[in-house]
Amino acid sequence: MFRTALRNVLAHKARLLMTVLAVMLGVAFVSGTLVFTNTISDAYQKSSAKGFDQVDVAVTADYQDAEGDRVGKSHDLTQAVLDASTRVPGAASAIGVVSDFTAIADKNGKLIGQGFQSQGANYWGAKDPRYPLVSGHAPKGEGEILIDAETAKRAGYKVGDTVRMSVDGPVLTPRITGIFTTDDGNVAAGGSLTLFDTTTAQRLLGEPGTYDEIDVKAKPGVTQAALKAQLDKALPKDATETTTGTQLADDQAQMISQSMSGMQTGLLVFAGIALFVGTFIIANTFTMLVAQRTKELALLRAVGASRRQVTRSVLIEAFVVGAVAAVAGLLAGIGIGAGLRSLMGTFGATVPDGPLVIKPATIVTALVVGILVTMMAAWLPGRRAAKIPPVAAMSSVHAKATTKSLVLRNTLGSLIAGAGVAVVLAATTMDGSDGQMPMGLGAVLLIIGVFILTPLLSRPLIAAAAPVLRAFGISGKLARQNSVRNPRRTAATASALMIGLTLITGMTVMAGSLQQAIDKMAASSIKADYVVAMANGNALSPDVEKRLKQADDVTATSPLTNAASRIDGETEYLTGVNGAAIGDLVGPKVDDGSFKVGGSQVVVDSETAKSKGWKVGSGFTVSYEDGKKQRLTVAGTYESTEFLRGILLDESTLAPHVTDPYVMQVMVKTSDGASGAVQDKLEKALGTNPAIKVQDKKDISNEIAQMFTLMLNMVYGLLAMAVIVAVLGVINTLAMSVFERSQEIGMLRAIGLDRRGIKRMVRLESLVISLFGAVLGIGLGVFFGWAAGELLASKMATYELVLPWARMAVFLLLAATVGILAALWPARRAARLNMLSAIKSE
């Protein structure tokens, strides 16, 4: 039986090629994902570990209060702490570290890096071992800086150039005195690193005379643990914490591994989808191969082969096909992993150097996945073949599906699909986070149910295309009849395309609806023409609002100042606003009372009011951060948005109690409204500061929606793999169907149907099957998009369903194109059959 199985594989090489390709693509996706993520993770971990080469023990300020809760920095690392660290017997040297956000502009005045990835720090002395100089010399004073080599390369800077930069205050224009190399992870991720001399860094990025961290290097022969123990004894326990360099590197490696695991999981999900789609092709292929070899299998049964042996022979064929596909997929996956890494550089992402990582687990996973998927998909056709009675098979009386089996299949499919719809509908009534798992379960059940029901659905849906096919004469009629002749085969072929289009359509519906919801939210809740904020989300300098007030055309401004307080024994954050102007700058929906802020009158979002049991007229006592208390009264409640929430009070009431105002944003209203010219004026009023963003409502909407757009484009690219596998399935099914119907095609040619008619028949059959899968996929995608939107609507009041009719039409057109292209080779092959040879074939 083993030799028979191998001979069958060799005898059907061409017919099994598409199956090998389908499995190979899925395995390549899996192994490529593992190679890519392992390589990137390993490169970042080694780069990160190299960054701790100069750190044996790191000393940081204590960040815990008396109750052990993590709070803001409770102590400063002063020069005295640095000196004490240096005097420890096991310490060879100690470096004081200062760092914080620093924005540096390119030659066009635009920020280099994205927000938090733009950092500034101090260069220690005349030669800092952490930052080897490529050219130039150490900085001295505020007018000199160093920049990293990657930033210099991207922006075209060199030693001697003057740059525009800012921390959180006025724009600085220092001169570049040197360029250095670094293993800093932010730089590797596309950010920038700017270095000042230590005194300047302390003044700009922290407090004069203090450090954020002290890095201590051990003397030769002193272990990190021994040095840590010495530092723990020498430094005040309640003011400092010590961590070994090894521990820091391990923690960083774990963080990198966790961040990469999310990407790896996402990519593997899409690889799984491609493999799932591939199972339909494999099942179709083996079903047709078994059907074509019915007499052969019956003869084996007649000469003594058992049912188990027949099934086993089919599984051996599947094992050989799966093994070949898995090895080819692994090799292709290694190439994909290397290609994806190179592609990251094309998109501007910088990855540390390192070797391609191919772990044993990757090899084992690729082989196991490829072989198991193929054998599982081939098991049912093999089992079905073994059940055919030998006498019936040798008499060419093929056992067709009985009425009982079809009723059982349709009943089972209806129950599973009904359960899926019920679970999805129930999930839409739940809270956003609580409904995610039930909705995922319901979606899986519904897709499985529809797949089981697809043979039943194929007849009415394909029959609906009859009027269109009639226009193509006898070719169209034959194409329709061929499509419904074997509903199971048609269903399996169409389902592969259905799954890909379900996901693509669902994501498109959600993305379009989200974009509109964000636009409506910005338009309804913000009356201001512009919102000014820091590029990294940090606090703005109080000087920003003063400058904006003095700008031409500005009619009203209001800061949004965040401040911690205690209310009823709990920490609550207050937002200070310009009470006289806030009504002209924001427009949330007022649920009760009025939106008037002033004196002791405040407004509160409805969720907070409900949780506290407040209503209009309610009073409560607030304890400010300076310890003073005040009685405040609720003047109104409003519906919170992404831009505005919490307790709003007048800034004149809050300011006396806040020593260091945390201004999150400044709202600006102008006499001429939003325009490019006005935006330029405001940016110039702020000194064309690269650290500060001046955005109108459209800019804010686009910034939020950009994340969804990027994700959608990634999904399109990843799902393209599943669609390619589905196309292979259509080609495979048609090619084998042509072989199976050779005698029939020969008869059609003999009674007058020309080669063009044969080609048209095969192409129309492919078109009908592809459009059938597309209609099911788009229908399911719209349903899932609506259901997922209902979950989002519970968190986003402005969300409503938007159907992307134009894109859905494009998806249908693409499905039709897929059908036509997939039929090119099978149609040509059918037309070239010799009619006499075909008639004589069995």
Side-chain angles (χ1 to χ4, degrees), residues 9 73 133 150 350 379 405 408 426 430 529 691 702 770:
V9 171
K73 187 166 63 176
L133 285 174
E150 288 295 332
T350 307
W379 175 77
S405 70
L408 181 64
M430 300 179 185
D529 295 315
N702 290 341
S770 297

Side-chain angles (χ1 to χ4, degrees), residues 592-678:
D592 195 14
S594 63
F595 197 75
K596 291 184 179 178
V597 179
S600 62
Q601 300 286 310
V602 301
V603 293
V604 186
D605 72 272
S606 299
E607 289 91 343
T608 302
K610 184 179 179 181
S611 67
K612 296 288 186 183
W614 297 339
K615 56 185 178 181
V616 174
S618 296
F620 60 92
T621 301
V622 60
S623 177
Y624 296 109
E625 64 179 44
D626 63 353
K628 295 182 180 179
K629 297 182 179 181
Q630 185 178 3
R631 189 75 178 169
L632 301 176
T633 305
V634 178
T637 60
Y638 66 94
E639 197 172 276
S640 65
T641 68
E642 292 296 312
F643 309 107
L644 197 68
R645 63 180 69 240
I647 303 169
L648 309 185
L649 75 164
D650 194 271
E651 61 176 342
S652 61
T653 303
L654 179 65
H657 306 288
V658 179
T659 54
D660 187 16
Y662 193 96
V663 182
M664 298 178 290
Q665 296 172 329
V666 176
M667 304 278 192
V668 181
K669 190 83 172 174
T670 62
S671 56
D672 295 335
S675 69
V678 173

Side-chain angles (χ1 to χ4, degrees), residues 478-480 482-483 734 737 741 760-770:
L478 289 170
R480 182 180 66 80
N482 288 334
S483 300
L734 288 172
S737 178
R741 302 198 319 254
R760 189 183 299 125
M761 177 187 74
V762 175
R763 284 198 295 264
L764 288 173
E765 182 182 348
S766 176
L767 181 65
V768 167
I769 292 173
S770 297

Side-chain angles (χ1 to χ4, degrees), residues 161-180:
D161 286 347
T162 299
V163 298
R164 295 181 65 80
M165 58 167 293
S166 175
V167 178
D168 65 352
V171 174
L172 305 174
T173 54
R175 185 172 61 88
I176 299 173
T177 63
I179 295 172
F180 63 93

Side-chain angles (χ1 to χ4, degrees), residues 709-727:
T709 304
L710 178 64
M711 184 173 67
L712 185 65
N713 290 335
M714 284 180 62
V715 169
Y716 282 163
L718 293 168
L719 287 176
M721 180 71 74
V723 174
I724 290 169
V725 174
V727 172

Side-chain angles (χ1 to χ4, degrees), residues 27 30-31 34 326-327 330 358-372:
V27 172
V30 171
S31 54
L34 294 173
V327 171
L330 175 62
I358 305 165
K359 294 185 177 180
T362 301
I363 298 171
V364 172
T365 301
L367 295 176
V368 168
V369 165
I371 293 169
L372 274 183

Side-chain angles (χ1 to χ4, degrees), residues 10 16 52 223 388 410 687:
L10 296 174
L16 290 169
F52 293 110
T223 64
I388 300 174
N410 294 336

